[in-house]
Amino acid sequence: MLETSQGVNSVEIAVNILAFVASQNGQARAIDIATGCNLSKSRLHKYLVSLCRTGMLCQNEKGLYSSGSRLHTLANHSSYTYDPVNALNNALISFRDIYNHSTGVVVFDAERLILRHYNRSFRNVDIDFLPNTPVPLHTSAAGQIFMSFTHYQAQDAEQAQHLEQIRLQGFAVRYHPAQGIPGAQSIACPLLNSRGELIAVGVTMGFFDTEAISQIAHQLVNTVAPLNQQD
């Protein structure tokens, strides 16, 4: 029986640490992990270093530990079916972990755009969204991507030119506040299948400096682009 065989104690401790972090709404302080897992601070530190190094955990700017990008990838892994939306979300979690900007995945569902996944940054002040929040078509960066990469008919020549510019540059930006999220900007880019059809939209949002938006946009495009044409 496996239960009576000798195992690897360090593996069991690592799993207990991951389980404890998950039980704390996905974020925990090192001191609380040490107490909850009955470990000394020095011993726990070695595990946290390895778990962060392997992407199973990550540490934010406030010192809290949360699940890392590799753990999300394993959780969503399927040996039989490639899920492009989950793959996009995993890439955006990594983007969030590297650049500390909130990210999300927008999909078209039941005749509307919705924010299917949302990954909040680790900043003290940022935007929060509920699951499946509706996304406005005309006033959002994701909506601009949707209009640019589908058969949407532009309402006038000015809008047609704007959508063509978005197609050429590969991303859209909402520079001005939208209702409900004053002072926040968003940047979006498309996830396309092998036929060039829109699958979903990758988004990053937050309180960006205007001069930084172009750099952030290209970082987002470089994160999402390798996932295109993998359906």
Side-chain angles (χ1 to χ4, degrees):
M1 296 292 291
L2 287 176
E3 291 81 359
T4 58
S5 301
Q6 184 176 4
V8 180
N9 187 52
S10 59
V11 173
E12 296 173 3
I13 292 173
V15 171
N16 286 339
I17 292 171
L18 295 174
F20 181 83
V21 172
S23 72
Q24 304 302 299
N25 294 320
Q27 289 190 337
R29 300 181 302 168
I31 188 172
D32 295 327
I33 300 173
T35 301
C37 296
N38 195 27
L39 296 170
S40 67
K41 293 180 182 179
S42 59
R43 191 179 186 193
L44 172 67
H45 177 72
K46 296 178 181 178
Y47 282 94
L48 293 178
V49 169
S50 292
L51 288 169
C52 288
R53 186 179 294 159
T54 56
M56 301 300 283
L57 289 178
C58 63
Q59 186 180 24
N60 65 25
E61 59 190 14
K62 295 165 60 177
L64 296 175
Y65 290 89
S66 61
S67 56
S69 58
R70 179 171 290 185
L71 185 60
H72 287 278
T73 299
L74 294 173
N76 292 311
H77 176 71
S78 171
S79 300
Y80 304 101
T81 303
Y82 173 74
D83 187 333
V85 173
N86 278 339
L88 174 60
N89 191 52
N90 289 332
L92 292 174
I93 290 171
S94 296
F95 180 94
R96 185 273 312 271
D97 293 346
I98 295 171
Y99 300 110
N100 200 16
H101 300 310
S102 294
T103 61
V105 176
V106 174
V107 298
F108 188 69
D109 182 60
E111 305 302 320
R112 64 175 184 168
L113 295 174
I114 63 168
L115 185 67
R116 175 64 55 80
H117 298 289
Y118 176 66
N119 313 299
R120 191 188 188 281
S121 78
F122 305 119
R123 302 177 190 275
N124 291 332
V125 177
D126 212 331
I127 307 162
D128 281 313
F129 290 96
L130 296 174
N132 297 324
T133 296
V135 176
L137 178 65
H138 294 285
T139 59
S140 67
Q144 294 178 53
I145 291 294
F146 179 82
M147 291 186 288
S148 300
F149 288 88
T150 62
H151 297 297
Y152 175 83
Q153 296 297 315
Q155 297 177 347
D156 51 45
E158 181 180 0
Q159 186 184 48
Q161 183 179 8
H162 177 62
L163 298 181
E164 177 62 20
Q165 180 183 356
I166 291 173
R167 280 192 291 272
L168 291 174
Q169 68 186 15
F171 64 86
V173 180
R174 177 175 57 75
Y175 290 95
H176 305 294
Q179 184 177 6
I181 46 173
Q185 294 80 39
S186 64
I187 306 168
C189 66
L191 176 66
L192 306 172
N193 66 19
S194 58
R195 297 179 295 280
E197 299 166 338
L198 185 67
I199 300 173
V201 182
V203 183
T204 183
M205 62 284 278
F207 301 91
F208 302 138
D209 293 330
T210 302
E211 57 270 21
I213 286 180
S214 177
Q215 179 183 7
I216 297 170
H218 285 96
Q219 290 167 342
L220 181 67
V221 170
N222 289 338
T223 297
V224 176
L227 300 175
N228 288 331
Q229 302 182 356
Q230 292 190 20
D231 63 333

